Structures are given as C-alpha cells and as structure tokens.
Amino acid sequence: MSTSVVLSLARYPARYFAVWNDQRLDAVDQLLAAEFSWTDPSLPTDLTDLAGAHGFFSSSWAAFPDIHLEAIGDPLVDERAGRVAAEWRMTGTHTGGEFPPGVPATGRSFDVLGTDVFTVDAEGRATAIRAYYDAATLARQLGLA
C-alpha cells in the first residue's frame, strides 16, 4: 500500500468528525462509497445507502443541534485491510427533533465515549463503518432509560 493511501486512511476519521461537527450534509457523499454498511448501536438496522445516511445525519443534527465529536488520540491504521479505528468523545444536548423517532426532546445532555472502525476504499470513502459505544449509557443520560 502506498504512503498516500496510508495517509488517506489516517486522515479519514478527522474528515468524518468534521462532517458531524460542521453539519455538512453536502459533504456526506464524499465520505461514503456508493455501496457501504454502517452499523451503529442507535440504529435499528444497518444503513446501506446514501439516502439512509443522509437521514441519519439530518435526524441526529435536528435532535442534537450542538452534537460534537472529538478525537481521542491518534487513529490506528491497518493498511493491509484498509481499515482505520478512532476513539472519540461525543457530546450534545437533546433539544431538537425526536430521537429516536417518537421520542420528543428531553433537554438533557450526553457525554459518551466510543470507537469507530472504518474500512476505506482507494478513493477515500468508507465501505463499512462500525460504531462501538454503550447505547444504554446514552439512553440513561438522555433520561430515556
């Protein structure tokens, strides 16, 4: 694997966090391949298309207008597999739209640690995202459990 591909892998988490933090729906298509799988504890099923990803970003931003992801440490790169893992801290306040669907805003804040593992293609787009965090902790902090 070339040095440029390894650098692209290492930079992917920062690009991903920037889209979340800047709430740039127009940049989502640059993050995700045409075909991908996105597993997240807050989702009932995996996301597999750009329309679903756009919906997830948009509903998250509506529910948590101040959502922020902060990288913890440097990403871990597995160049042979084209994967990169990044630990993060996610904070926000449930002041906007429903999340999950049917649950009105609680007005409560959250502060959750997690890790995402991304498989990234040669064009710098994720073909897989696996998010790991304690969804029960998130629910408790939001007053939902």
Side-chain angles (χ1 to χ4, degrees), residues 37 52 139:
S37 174

Side-chain angles (χ1 to χ4, degrees), residues 31-116:
L31 286 178
L32 302 169
E35 296 182 16
F36 62 89
S37 174
W38 186 349
T39 303
D40 186 289
S42 68
L43 293 169
T45 61
D46 287 0
L47 295 176
T48 58
D49 60 39
L50 290 171
H54 286 193
F56 182 52
F57 277 103
S58 294
S59 64
S60 297
W61 292 328
F64 311 106
D66 62 344
I67 193 168
H68 183 80
L69 280 90
E70 175 185 350
I72 298 173
D74 292 328
L76 302 173
V77 176
D78 177 353
E79 63 185 270
R80 198 171 304 161
R83 295 182 347 149
V84 58
E87 186 177 10
W88 46 258
R89 176 181 180 211
M90 180 174 61
T91 58
T93 312
H94 193 197
T95 57
E98 297 179 347
F99 191 89
V103 177
T106 63
R108 295 186 59 178
S109 296
F110 66 88
D111 188 334
V112 177
L113 299 176
T115 298
D116 283 351

